[in-house]
Amino acid sequence: MSVLLSRPGGAPPTDAPIGLVDPRAAVRRVPRKPGVPRAVPRRLGPVLLVGMWQLLSTVGIFDERTVPPPTRVLDAAWTLIADGTFQDHLTASLLRVGYGLVFGIVLGLGLALISGLSRIGE
């Protein structure tokens, strides 16, 4: 069943087998059944997540003041884009995220150094 390949570079050593076995010869190719394209399951998770978010907000499990439904989020985004204030709000949000990231890195690095370099930090 396996196919022997000749070894390049001359004769094989005396203790080695005569040829190399081609691993592709032992594998049987099974034709793939046409099924669900690979992109569908990848996109299905986020779509189901947003759908559950909308459903739980509509039913009332999520408080709309804390977790607004995605439809209201999209409506607010569209209103901000139409007003022209979206970029200002986006800049303010990114600055807050940046400040938080810098604060977290500085605090984490400082505590890691205290923990690693002193007995008090242990």
Side-chain angles (χ1 to χ4, degrees):
M1 170 146 267
S2 62
V3 177
L4 293 176
L5 299 176
S6 62
R7 184 181 297 261
T14 56
D15 60 338
I18 296 177
L20 299 175
V21 176
D22 185 8
R24 295 172 292 175
V27 177
R28 294 185 184 175
R29 300 266 178 185
V30 178
R32 286 184 80 173
K33 298 176 186 174
V36 179
R38 291 179 67 186
V40 171
R42 290 180 183 172
R43 290 185 177 97
L44 190 61
V47 168
L48 287 176
L49 183 68
V50 172
M52 286 298 295
W53 175 18
Q54 177 66 41
L55 178 71
L56 294 174
S57 294
T58 303
V59 171
I61 295 175
F62 287 163
D63 184 19
E64 290 193 14
R65 291 176 290 151
T66 357
V67 183
T71 51
R72 192 181 320 163
V73 171
L74 290 175
D75 185 41
W78 181 255
T79 303
L80 291 174
I81 290 171
D83 290 349
T85 59
F86 180 75
Q87 188 170 0
D88 296 332
H89 293 291
L90 183 65
T91 304
S93 295
L94 288 177
L95 280 174
R96 287 180 184 169
V97 168
Y99 291 147
L101 180 65
V102 168
F103 179 72
I105 288 173
V106 168
L107 186 64
L109 185 64
L111 290 175
L113 286 173
I114 290 171
S115 174
L117 297 177
S118 71
R119 293 200 182 259
I120 297 172
E122 289 180 5

